Amino acid sequence: MIIFNITYIVEKDIQEEWLTWFEEYLIKELMKKGGFKSARFSKVLSHPQPDATNYSIQFFSENEEDFHFFLKNEYSKFLADLNQKFQQKVIAFATEMEYLKDYYSNGN
């Protein structure tokens, strides 16, 4: 399984506008074009900043080929849309990970 994590640093003065755009446009389009089966959205609590809030979205894909097609052919469009709409007020960076194993407190 491939996990595609995008971390966003969002200036507080556009936070509500960004959240609306994120939920009404970005998530829907990424889920549709990325071949992802699910996503998990989080607020990053570590490394707080006085003028910004950090968020993370993790997309889960079971098909590596579809994901790499998306990354090669579609992802740059989403970055361009983000930069056009919010300029320097939102910074995004992505990490691609491969799922290996879960661990639980009961020892399994």
Side-chain angles (χ1 to χ4, degrees):
M1 176 184 300
I2 300 298
I3 303 168
F4 185 53
N5 180 81
I6 308 172
T7 301
Y8 296 93
I9 303 169
V10 182
E11 289 187 13
K12 289 190 177 181
D13 64 328
I14 54 101
Q15 182 172 310
E16 292 304 317
E17 178 186 3
W18 178 82
L19 281 168
T20 299
W21 176 81
F22 179 82
E23 291 183 335
E24 292 180 1
Y25 167 71
L26 188 66
I27 293 299
K28 291 175 184 176
E29 290 298 311
L30 285 173
M31 292 294 288
K32 181 171 40 177
K33 295 185 177 183
F36 302 113
K37 72 172 194 162
S38 64
R40 177 176 289 149
F41 184 52
S42 305
K43 182 177 179 181
V44 178
L45 299 178
S46 61
H47 312 293
Q49 300 176 33
D51 297 330
T53 303
N54 300 342
Y55 297 94
S56 173
I57 181 88
Q58 292 184 336
F59 296 96
F60 300 90
S61 176
E62 291 186 6
N63 185 319
E64 191 170 344
E65 292 78 26
D66 286 349
F67 170 72
H68 283 111
F69 178 85
F70 159 78
L71 201 58
K72 181 178 179 183
N73 298 296
E74 299 284 344
Y75 185 60
S76 61
K77 176 195 179 309
F78 293 104
L79 289 177
D81 290 350
L82 175 73
N83 290 331
Q84 180 180 2
K85 183 153 183 71
F86 296 105
Q87 287 100 36
Q88 302 294 320
K89 293 193 170 273
V90 178
I91 298 170
F93 60 93
T95 307
E96 179 184 345
M97 300 174 278
E98 179 183 9
Y99 168 80
L100 297 176
K101 184 177 181 180
D102 289 325
Y103 296 93
Y104 298 96
S105 61
N106 65 2
N108 294 332

